[in-house]
Amino acid sequence: MNIEYRKAQSADVGQCIILRGKTRQNAINPAQLAALGVTHESWARGIEQDELCGYVGLHRGVIVGYCFGETQVGEIQVLAVLPEYENMGMGKELLNRVVSDLKSLGHQSLFLGCSRNPESRSYGFYRHLGWRSTGKRDIHDDEVLELQVVSD
C-alpha cells in the first residue's frame, strides 16, 4: 500500500479530529477532545504558531494516520492510525519524523504518556522503539515514557 507522508498543516486538523475517534484503542471523539481543551481552533493555532510539529500519512489523499509533538517541551502529544492501516510501519514512520523534528529543535530527551496496560498496543510499541519508563504518571494516570535522543 502506498502511503504518502508530509508535514501537517492547520487545514488537516478537521480530518485528524475525526480520525482520532476511529482508532482501535484509546479512541477519543470530538466532544471528548473539546472537554480536554483540544479543539479545531486550538490545534490549528498550535500548528500555525509552531507550538506543534506533526506529520500526516495519506492514502489516496485521505489522512489515515498522524503524529504531533509539542515543540517547547518535547512531548509527543498524539500518534493515531486507523485500524485498517495498523502493522504497516506507518506509526513508526510518523513518530520517527516528529522525533527528528523535535531533536533538531535541541531536545535531548522526549516524553509521552502511554497506557500502563501491557495488553495495550502502545505499551509494547513504544518500548520496542527504545522508550523507557520514568516511573511517573501523568494527569491522565498514564505512564510517562522517555526517549533519549543523541545528537549526530
Side-chain angles (χ1 to χ4, degrees), residues 5 55 67 79 89-98 125:
Y5 298 96
Y55 286 85
C67 183
L79 172 60
M90 185 188 326
K92 180 179 177 182
E93 179 66 25
L94 291 165
L95 180 63
N96 284 343
R97 287 171 183 248
V98 173
F125 172 79

Side-chain angles (χ1 to χ4, degrees), residues 2-18:
N2 188 24
I3 302 295
E4 173 191 344
Y5 298 96
R6 66 164 169 75
K7 279 190 99 46
Q9 306 163 359
S10 59
D12 297 327
V13 170
Q15 284 186 64
C16 291
I17 287 174
I18 292 168

Side-chain angles (χ1 to χ4, degrees), residues 103-130:
K103 179 180 170 183
S104 74
L105 293 172
H107 293 286
Q108 296 180 348
S109 69
L110 307 176
F111 68 99
L112 56 80
C114 180
S115 172
R116 295 182 297 119
N117 180 353
E119 295 181 19
S120 169
R121 291 176 51 80
S122 63
Y123 185 92
F125 172 79
Y126 291 112
R127 285 165 176 77
H128 176 75
L129 295 176

